[in-house]
Amino acid sequence: MSNILTRLRNRRANPAADDSAQPAVAPVRGPRTRFGAWLGRPMTSFHLIIAVAALLTTMGLTMVLSASGVYSYDTDGSPWAVFGRQALWTVVGLVAFYVALRMRVQMMRKLAFSGFAISIVLLILVLIPGIGKIANGSRGWFVVAGFSMQPSELAKIALAVWGAHLLAARRMEQASLREMLVPLVPAAVIALALVVSQPDLGQTMSMGVILLGLLWYAGLPLRVFLSSLGAVIVSGAVLAVSEGYRSDRVQSWLNPAADAQGSGYQARQARFALANGGIFGDGLGQGTAKWNYLPNAHNDFIFAIIGEELGFVGAAGLLCLFGLFAYTGMRIARRSADPFLRLLTATATLWILSQVFINVGYVVGLLPVTGLQLPLISAGGTSTATTLLMIGIMANAARHEPEAVAALRAGRDDRVNRLLRLPLPAPYVPTRTEALRDRLRSRSDRPPARAGQKPPPKRSRTPRTAERPVRRSGRAGGQQPAAVGGYGAGQRKQGRRARTLEGQRYG
């Protein structure tokens, strides 16, 4: 349609010209709307991830204040107790967000193994009676001066960062199956066993999703991935029916009317709260389920309070925010040139979305209750702080997109970067180990020369302009040579589809 209108305008402007005699020129297609032009800007991913995180954090604090007032007054004598602790942990999470946003990628990778080792030590210490505290039937908490901390939340981030570093250093799809699985899978199994010992089925499932996400986005063969997925599902089913209270939850999910006043009471009250909300809800702060009708209304079942007070519109709006977060996370992963950031961002997006799916699933009755919190919305200090830390890493990856690096180092002004006083991002350059590993593998992949066969002629070292672009110094304007995978002008001209994305799958 646009081509026909263009031809009609040309005929009106120059009726004497013959269209058939003129060569066909392909029209230059640009963004048709302002929104499309905004999506094409270099810093769009960075602005999107910060905006979504700010909206989710604000909505979470608001709903925690509304859902926890009655519980706080009954337990502490003040309606602000739970909200105060949640606000304090949110401040801690914002500090962690800012630190992750400013941290150099090389420093992040250097600290990856140390962070995972420290998280394993914390998981061991929390199992020792007298050090770890029991809450909700699980010995998985450190309590200091009234503030609780869950080391399994830190272990999830440590596993994601160290696993992404390990797989990126081995060049993902170019690695053998043993290099992909060892030592990542044995180390992850140790962490999973320690979390199961607490026991905490929700955190175990979340950590299993992180492991599977790392292997999937790293290019694990489909046959091996499906077998691993089947093993994880079978293990989860065995763990779900191994303990008495977990077995009761599964049975109440399969037959909600069997024990409506016992194991099925919480899930039943959550559906009542959602039904009472209707389309537009009863109003913020006007819900009745939080008046001790729905246990853990401010924590595991806060989505039911959102549905009761804000209605279907508010619940759907929250899910749309998480959908926008999913789009932004995968956009950052797709546009990243660094395989470490690409793998880490995609895995973090899958991890957070899996928690959203599990939490909303058991609130609406599609899944059995597991006790996994809704990220940035539920009252949970460690969960909120660690989620903000991971989102800070994702925002850091957004600043390291090739287009964003080129724009910032070219001196283009960005208000958010100027307001946060962020340093200039460095272009991606493969490490010496990665480059050496690639050269050795390229040599080993060459077929051996046959007897009596002449060796192939050596290529001239003089570069030809028709074969390859002229290399330029990477110091001028922050550009890097195209031969080492930098963000130079030659690489940007190729477009996003021309950049090889090693081993990524976003299906």
Side-chain angles (χ1 to χ4, degrees), residues 47-345:
H47 296 159
L48 272 176
I49 193 67
I50 288 184
V52 171
L55 290 174
L56 289 175
T57 303
T58 303
M59 187 174 184
L61 288 175
T62 304
M63 294 311 303
V64 167
L65 177 61
S66 175
S68 65
V70 177
Y71 174 82
S72 298
Y73 187 80
D74 290 342
T75 55
D76 297 328
S78 172
W80 307 92
V82 174
F83 173 76
R85 289 193 292 268
Q86 181 70 12
L88 182 59
W89 275 108
T90 302
V91 173
V92 174
L94 291 176
V95 174
F97 174 91
Y98 187 69
V99 171
L101 187 59
R102 293 182 60 92
M103 183 178 295
R104 294 185 298 110
V105 179
Q106 293 80 3
M107 180 61 65
M108 197 183 305
R109 300 185 68 169
K110 287 181 180 179
L111 298 177
F113 179 74
S114 301
F116 181 74
I118 293 174
S119 66
I120 294 296
V121 173
L122 293 177
L123 289 177
I124 296 174
L125 291 177
V126 80
L127 296 175
I128 301 176
I131 299 179
K133 303 299 181 181
I134 298 178
N136 298 326
S138 174
R139 187 184 294 277
W141 303 84
F142 292 120
V143 179
V144 179
F147 293 94
S148 58
M149 192 271 289
Q150 197 171 7
S152 58
E153 294 284 353
L154 299 177
K156 292 189 295 186
I157 290 185
L159 176 62
V161 176
W162 179 63
H165 163 69
L166 191 66
L167 294 174
R170 299 182 175 185
R171 308 303 289 174
M172 295 191 287
E173 269 191 350
Q174 299 180 12
S176 64
L177 182 62
R178 181 178 179 181
E179 287 179 333
M180 292 181 63
L181 298 180
V182 180
L184 176 60
V185 173
V189 169
I190 293 174
L192 287 169
L194 292 174
V195 177
V196 170
S197 302
Q198 295 179 3
D200 193 336
L201 181 59
Q203 297 294 340
T204 304
M205 294 174 57
S206 184
M207 194 172 294
V209 168
I210 292 175
L211 177 61
L212 292 177
L214 285 170
L215 296 176
W216 172 254
Y217 291 119
L220 188 69
L222 183 61
R223 174 178 55 84
V224 181
F225 177 81
L226 291 179
S227 60
S228 303
L229 180 61
V232 170
I233 294 176
V234 171
S235 302
V238 171
L239 291 174
V241 299
S242 60
E243 290 289 339
Y245 72 96
R246 289 200 294 259
S247 178
D248 294 340
R249 287 179 176 180
V250 174
Q251 292 178 6
S252 65
W253 171 63
L254 295 175
N255 188 6
D259 191 7
Q261 298 298 322
S263 59
Y265 175 79
Q266 199 173 19
R268 185 166 175 262
Q269 291 296 323
R271 289 193 289 272
F272 284 162
L274 290 172
N276 291 336
I279 300 298
F280 299 103
D282 296 337
L284 185 62
Q286 303 301 317
T288 58
K290 59 191 177 184
W291 291 82
N292 294 329
Y293 292 105
L294 177 61
N296 291 327
H298 60 285
N299 195 344
D300 299 340
F301 285 83
I302 197 170
F303 186 76
I305 303 300
I306 294 174
E308 183 185 21
E309 297 186 354
L310 303 182
F312 174 80
V313 175
L318 177 62
L319 295 181
C320 288
L321 275 180
F322 281 112
L324 183 58
F325 172 82
Y327 164 77
T328 306
M330 290 304 177
R331 171 190 168 98
I332 296 171
R334 186 179 65 250
R335 294 164 64 97
S336 295
D338 189 344
F340 166 72
L341 294 178
R342 184 165 62 239
L343 183 56
L344 179 58
T345 304

Side-chain angles (χ1 to χ4, degrees), residues 421-470:
R421 299 181 179 274
L422 299 177
L424 290 177
Y428 165 65
V429 178
T431 62
R432 294 181 179 179
T433 305
E434 295 171 356
L436 178 60
R437 187 187 297 269
D438 290 342
R439 286 197 297 268
L440 292 177
R441 281 180 178 156
S442 62
R443 292 178 182 177
S444 62
D445 292 341
R446 294 178 183 176
R450 298 179 181 177
Q453 184 179 5
K454 295 182 179 180
K458 296 182 179 180
R459 296 183 179 179
S460 175
R461 295 185 179 180
T462 305
R464 299 178 182 179
T465 56
E467 294 181 358
R468 59 179 180 179
V470 180

Side-chain angles (χ1 to χ4, degrees), residues 345-406:
T345 304
T347 303
T349 305
L350 177 64
W351 158 40
I352 294 176
L353 285 183
S354 67
Q355 290 195 189
V356 175
F357 175 78
I358 293 173
N359 182 273
V360 176
Y362 69 69
V363 169
V364 300
L366 295 178
L367 296 174
V369 178
T370 58
L372 205 59
Q373 298 169 337
L374 190 61
L376 296 181
I377 306 297
S378 297
T382 312
S383 175
T384 300
T386 52
T387 305
L388 286 174
L389 173 61
M390 181 54 70
I391 294 179
I393 296 175
M394 296 174 62
N396 195 350
R399 295 180 69 245
H400 283 82
E401 293 179 2
E403 293 82 359
V405 173

Side-chain angles (χ1 to χ4, degrees), residues 6 9 51 88 333 412 437 481:
T6 304
R9 294 192 188 99
L88 182 59
R412 291 186 58 178
R437 187 187 297 269

